[in-house]
Amino acid sequence: MNEIQLRFNILLGDILGGINAAIIALPQALAFGVATGFGASAGVWGAIILCLVAGLLGTKVPMISGITGPSAIVIASIMHALNKDINSVLMIMVMAGIIQMVLSLTKLTDIVKYVPYPVISGFMNGVGTIIIIMQLNPLLGLKPFSNTIESIEHILTSLNTMNIQAALLGLLTLIIVFGIPKRLNKYLPSQILALIICTIISIKMGLNIPKISEVSIALPAFRLPETNLHDIITYFHYAITLAIILSSETLLTGLVCNSLTKTQISPRTLLASQGLGNIACALTGSLSGAAATMRTVAAIKTGATTKFAALVCPIVLVILLFKFSGFVAEIPLCVLAGILIKIGYDIIDIKLLKVLKLASKEDKYVLAVVFLLTVFYNLIVAVGAGITLAALLYAKKVADKAKLVHKEVYDKDIIKLEKEVERDYKLKIRFVHIDGQFFFGSATQLISQFDELLGTRYLILNCDFDDTLDISALFAFEDIVLRLKSQHIHLVLVLKNENIHKQLSEYKITEEIGEDHIFYSEIEAIKFAKTAFSEKARKKYQREQKNGH
């Protein structure tokens, strides 16, 4: 493939990725805009402005930004706490953007690496649950309640007073967004399909149901929020809360993007560009947001590889907004509620729930505490309590196992043999020892180190673990296996005890590695790797000889 063809393919991938991300972003931005109380226009313009600014100033990879589930929940909560004082909320958004920029100048961006998986999962499960509960009333054609407790308390009343037309259209929306097969959803997102079909039905049948009614297509004007020192001090804790949520989601999306693109994104650059983008959003009366995982993954999976995709996305959103503003105004709120319920369901960590019975009781405690606090109390308190509880439980676990032991020095003959094999096989066979504790604090850092093994064909990984792995480490271990597989590196695993093997089997990680690639002796692992490599080299030589003749 020549250079021109390669550049054309990259450009085409970015354009298609940007278009796909915009199609996913439109219904979500409309829905989140309405859910926060700012209105549909603020949601769409927030997605346009943030994606454009962060795309221009941010990382080189296709990072798609905009209003997301967690950020929408926090903004909606602040709106309710301040009695819909939009001026004060915009001031808080400006402050949050400034805090993000300040954070980007520090090493605090690395903290996200140390957040245990059960905390992240409990938080995301909580946010997904909040979105679903809060959208039950709009799905039935009624006004939403201000919190989850009220929504749950009034379920029976809502069912007795619902708008039948809205409820039926909302049900149809749910059938479409949940019923479209994944293979079709890749090419035509179910959310945009539901939006179009159900809105057309509402228009043609003249249904008497709540709608968006008005969406502004005018360019948002500069708006400096009125403030004073007293308000800044009074509302500063809201700004901290919002900044932490926006930053955490952005950095987590960055980690996902790292895994997909096999690149290393600068968290400081990422956070600084998001902070500037959120300031721009607030100063134009639009909604703040974060790097959106779902839209970013969709863009990358469609073929996007550079930041140009993040510039295509807002351009497409502007075209859709100006060309179809009349249609957007007719979108029923029950349809947006159905779309948000699907988004809430997608946010819920199904992966963890499937293996929850296999998790340790400590992981379950942390997950439950974070989930319950997120849904029924406060998001930031939930995350803080989860991290604290995880740290205390881990400290107790380590303390309980502390004892004086005599440990033999690692066999020098084995080390010598490893060096000889690496030399003789020109690093096609390499060795890695995971030293120290492998838990949520070290797992993420170790993952990035495996990107330095390009060119290796057989990697012998010696896992000298004394204890079983927590769920964060297990998922990190799975990520290591998949990364090596994507780089066409054959993993040969050396374990110290059968308990680790049993854990890996329960989580089906051994299926990815292959049972014949797992050993309890490094000597046996070395013999296997040498034999397998020699056999592949022999077959390759035979093929070349055959093709040559």
Side-chain angles (χ1 to χ4, degrees):
M1 186 183 294
N2 58 41
E3 187 176 349
I4 296 175
Q5 181 67 35
L6 182 62
R7 289 188 177 183
F8 175 78
N9 289 343
I10 291 173
L11 179 63
L12 182 62
D14 287 338
I15 292 173
L16 293 176
I19 292 172
N20 194 27
I23 291 171
I24 294 172
L26 180 62
Q28 293 184 4
L30 291 169
F32 286 135
V34 172
T36 57
F38 266 78
S41 301
V44 178
W45 280 113
I48 292 168
I49 294 169
L50 179 57
C51 195
L52 185 64
V53 174
L56 281 171
L57 304 177
T59 59
K60 295 180 180 180
V61 297
M63 193 71 68
I64 310 298
S65 306
I67 183 73
T68 61
S71 54
I73 293 298
V74 174
I75 293 171
S77 300
I78 295 172
M79 277 282 281
H80 173 68
L82 301 184
N83 296 316
K84 297 185 178 181
D85 181 357
I86 291 180
N87 179 77
S88 296
V89 178
L90 291 175
M91 178 197 70
I92 289 168
M93 289 184 191
V94 172
M95 291 166 63
I98 294 171
I99 291 170
Q100 282 187 286
M101 294 185 66
V102 172
L103 287 175
S104 72
L105 301 175
T106 70
K107 292 185 177 181
L108 291 175
T109 52
D110 294 331
I111 286 179
V112 70
K113 293 181 180 180
Y114 301 98
V115 178
Y117 192 89
V119 174
I120 297 170
S121 181
F123 175 74
M124 297 309 291
N125 288 337
V127 167
T129 302
I130 290 173
I131 291 174
I132 291 171
I133 293 173
M134 295 293 288
Q135 292 308 309
L136 293 178
N137 256 32
L139 187 74
L140 301 174
L142 306 173
K143 289 185 177 180
F145 287 105
S146 57
N147 59 65
T148 52
I149 296 175
E150 283 186 18
S151 297
I152 293 171
E153 287 177 342
H154 292 85
I155 285 177
L156 293 178
T157 305
S158 298
L159 289 172
N160 290 328
T161 58
M162 66 178 174
N163 182 321
I164 298 295
Q165 293 180 341
L168 290 174
L169 196 61
L171 179 61
L172 177 60
T173 304
L174 292 176
I175 291 171
I176 294 173
V177 294
F178 280 97
I180 297 295
K182 284 186 177 181
R183 61 181 182 276
L184 296 178
N185 197 43
K186 180 180 178 181
Y187 302 102
L188 183 60
S190 60
Q191 294 172 15
I192 198 72
L193 190 64
L195 194 74
I196 295 169
I197 291 174
C198 294
T199 303
I200 290 174
I201 291 174
S202 173
I203 294 171
K204 295 296 183 183
M205 296 183 68
L207 300 182
N208 183 25
I209 55 179
K211 302 173 183 176
I212 288 180
S213 299
E214 185 179 348
V215 59
S216 174
I217 61 172
L219 292 172
F222 179 80
R223 177 179 178 178
L224 187 65
E226 297 179 7
T227 188
N228 54 62
L229 183 60
H230 176 267
D231 286 346
I232 291 173
I233 295 172
T234 303
Y235 300 142
F236 187 71
H237 68 286
Y238 288 125
I240 286 284
T241 299
L242 183 58
I244 291 174
I245 293 298
L246 298 178
S247 301
S248 299
E249 192 172 11
T250 292
L251 293 172
L252 288 171
T253 301
L255 290 177
V256 173
C257 201
N258 281 343
S259 180
L260 289 173
T261 61
K262 303 296 183 293
T263 58
Q264 289 300 315
I265 297 170
S266 167
R268 295 188 180 186
T269 302
L270 182 58
L271 209 56
S273 62
Q274 292 285 327
L276 279 170
N278 282 324
I279 292 171
C281 288
L283 294 178
T284 54
S286 308
L287 282 174
S288 298
T293 304
M294 192 185 303
R295 293 164 225 171
T296 300
V297 170
I300 293 171
K301 293 287 187 182
T302 310
T305 54
T306 75
K307 66 163 61 180
F308 186 65
L311 306 182
V312 171
C313 180
I315 293 171
V316 174
L317 285 174
V318 169
I319 294 171
L320 292 173
L321 186 61
F322 276 83
K323 287 290 183 181
F324 301 101
S325 59
F327 180 83
V328 170
E330 293 293 324
I331 295 173
L333 297 184
C334 61
V335 174
L336 293 181
I339 291 170
L340 278 175
I341 288 174
K342 177 61 166 68
I343 293 171
Y345 174 80
D346 289 338
I347 289 174
I348 292 173
D349 189 4
I350 303 297
K351 176 184 176 181
L352 178 62
L353 296 181
K354 286 181 179 178
V355 297
L356 189 59
K357 63 181 181 181
L358 303 174
S360 67
K361 61 182 181 180
E362 289 85 0
D363 284 335
K364 290 176 183 176
Y365 291 154
V366 173
L367 182 70
V369 167
V370 175
F371 174 78
L372 292 173
L373 286 175
T374 299
V375 175
F376 298 109
Y377 187 61
N378 181 283
L379 291 89
I380 290 300
V381 171
V383 174
I387 292 172
T388 303
L389 181 59
L392 290 173
L393 290 174
Y394 179 75
K396 181 181 182 301
K397 184 177 177 181
V398 173
D400 289 344
K401 290 183 176 295
K403 57 184 178 180
L404 290 174
V405 296
H406 174 69
K407 191 171 183 180
E408 293 181 6
V409 179
Y410 186 73
D411 193 335
K412 293 181 180 179
D413 290 334
I414 291 288
I415 295 176
K416 183 180 178 182
L417 179 59
E418 287 183 4
K419 291 180 178 178
E420 288 176 358
V421 172
E422 288 186 342
R423 183 195 65 211
D424 294 345
Y425 285 82
K426 297 181 173 58
L427 296 178
K428 295 296 182 181
I429 299 176
R430 295 181 70 173
F431 301 83
V432 172
H433 294 263
I434 297 181
D435 294 324
Q437 291 289 330
F438 189 64
F439 67 107
F440 62 78
S442 60
T444 308
Q445 287 207 13
L446 283 167
I447 288 174
S448 62
Q449 296 176 24
F450 283 86
D451 289 335
E452 301 170 4
L453 299 169
L454 292 175
T456 301
R457 283 292 156 258
Y458 284 85
L459 175 69
I460 299 175
L461 180 60
N462 195 323
C463 302
D464 193 24
F465 305 140
D466 291 317
D467 200 4
T468 54
L469 307 177
D470 67 11
I471 201 162
S472 300
L474 279 165
F475 284 142
F477 201 94
E478 182 183 33
D479 196 3
I480 288 169
V481 173
L482 294 176
R483 279 196 182 208
L484 293 173
K485 205 170 184 179
S486 70
Q487 296 169 9
H488 307 292
I489 297 174
H490 298 278
L491 176 63
V492 181
L493 197 60
V494 181
L495 299 176
K496 184 175 181 178
N497 60 65
E498 292 185 4
N499 290 330
I500 302 292
H501 191 181
K502 184 180 177 182
Q503 259 194 314
L504 297 178
S505 298
E506 287 175 342
Y507 284 81
K508 301 188 184 303
I509 298 174
T510 52
E511 292 180 9
E512 294 289 343
I513 301 170
E515 287 288 351
D516 60 332
H517 284 58
I518 300 174
F519 300 88
Y520 291 100
S521 161
E522 190 168 7
I523 295 293
E524 294 298 319
I526 291 171
K527 288 179 180 177
F528 172 82
K530 289 168 67 176
T531 303
F533 180 79
S534 299
E535 181 64 20
K536 282 186 177 291
R538 184 180 65 79
K539 289 181 178 179
K540 182 180 178 183
Y541 175 76
Q542 289 176 345
R543 285 196 303 271
E544 289 175 351
Q545 289 295 310
K546 186 177 180 181
N547 293 334
H549 291 297

